[in-house]
Amino acid sequence: MKQYDRNKPLFAIHIPKTAGTSFREILKVWYGKKLLLHYRDAVSGSMPVRYPELRDGEGNGSSDLCIFGHFTNREGLGIEEYYPRAEQFLTLWRDPFEIAVSTYFFVHKVASKWKHRPAMLDQSLAEYLRDARVNINAYLPFELDSGNYKEILGSRFIYVGLAERYEQSVSDIAGILGFDPPREISVLNSTSRHVDVPYESKLEFMKRHELEYEIYEWLMNRRI
């Protein structure tokens, strides 16, 4: 695990549907005005702000900076495009099948206001899951594979938590960053599931996501 250096900015990667919205509220308490957000405006389609104080990821003499958001490589929103000198990272991960299911329900709840209409709005959950892809590399500033993920996650990240162990992950992160754990830990932005989840399709989904499940199972058995 990489040691946290508060003199360099921390890049907290919000992988969708991994309790990131809840974790963002905790970061707001910890970092205050030194928490910077990196999100595309889904309604207008506008790109995230580029913060000059980060100076491509090195910081600008300021301590305790944290930038949090969706760093999505396929949309030109990745860390390497915005802050190529970024050095230390943090994220939460989750069972990829549950990410896909939660994404489906969340999009159906909110996407009517978005500038771009997602194709899944015209699909049933079963249809969506037949082809759904949850690509961990789409959110990271480097390409993970079966041969390198242990070394990269262990040396570049100060911590990788799990949404399934959210309270423990938050407590661990607080200790690493030097903050007090929140007295109450709640989960925000959860979406109700209005149809039954076809769990019989999970095995086929797992076959399409061998890397993601190899990493997930490793994380479940080893805290880093």
Side-chain angles (χ1 to χ4, degrees), residues 16 71-78 80-81 133 135 137-139:
F71 296 96
T72 312
N73 298 327
R74 63 177 178 268
E75 297 174 352
L77 309 178
E80 65 276 18
E81 284 89 7
R133 295 294 312 200
N135 178 11
N137 284 317
Y139 306 100

Side-chain angles (χ1 to χ4, degrees), residues 32-38 51 53-54 65-69:
K33 292 182 179 179
K34 290 193 173 183
L35 176 67
L36 309 175
L37 300 180
H38 179 92
Y51 297 100
E53 58 264 48
L54 289 177
L65 281 176
C66 178
I67 180 166
F68 179 81

